[in-house]
Amino acid sequence: MSVVDDVKTVVSLVQKMDNAALYTQILELQTKVQGLYMENMDLRKALSEKEQRLKLEDDVYFEHGAYWRNSNNDGPYCVPCWDDKRKLMRLTPTSFGGVSCNICHYMCDE
Ligand SMILES: [Zn+2]
């Protein structure tokens, strides 16, 4: 049972006490708890995304004019896309040799 559910239970118990001032106070408290709960969820999500981003940054390394991922030996990835926007864009083989990015058209021999 979450804190929001706990407060909901208390609100319904206070409602039965027939005390308007107490009921008003508990409703305000309920609103504040719900706000804190939502803020907590948003912060947890932001922290998780940040941790994923840091994990990815630790995993990426530069070699032979492109970026690669250490954990799965995957690559090559585009240098400008990673440097500018922190996006891992795969470099694909061109018809005239080398590899290029389909987004920014960065090329390298790989
Ligand atoms: Zn690119």
Side-chain angles (χ1 to χ4, degrees):
M1 188 181 257
S2 76
V3 68
V4 172
D5 293 330
D6 291 342
V7 170
K8 213 179 273 182
T9 301
V10 172
V11 167
S12 78
L13 290 172
V14 168
Q15 190 176 19
K16 292 173 186 169
M17 295 173 71
D18 200 26
N19 182 330
L22 182 60
Y23 186 61
T24 301
Q25 288 293 310
I26 200 72
L27 286 179
E28 287 178 20
L29 185 62
Q30 183 182 35
T31 300
K32 289 177 184 174
V33 167
Q34 287 171 336
L36 289 171
Y37 183 78
M38 294 307 294
E39 183 181 357
N40 188 29
M41 297 297 281
D42 290 345
L43 290 171
R44 284 174 183 263
K45 184 179 175 202
L47 179 61
S48 175
E49 288 170 359
K50 200 75 164 176
E51 286 172 345
Q52 291 295 319
R53 172 62 54 198
L54 287 174
K55 196 173 172 184
L56 180 60
E57 293 210 13
D58 284 347
D59 194 35
V60 172
Y61 67 96
F62 181 82
E63 190 174 273
H64 305 300
Y67 284 115
W68 304 78
R69 291 193 64 181
N70 198 30
S71 60
N72 55 7
N73 281 335
D74 197 24
Y77 292 102
C78 178
V79 173
C81 284
W82 177 254
D83 289 348
D84 292 346
K85 299 175 181 141
R86 285 298 190 247
K87 290 193 181 232
L88 280 179
M89 302 308 299
R90 190 173 297 285
L91 297 175
T92 55
T94 66
S95 57
F96 44 88
V99 290
S100 73
C101 174
N102 290 328
I103 303 300
C104 72
H105 308 295
Y106 170 78
M107 295 181 66
C108 77
D109 294 335
E110 186 243 323

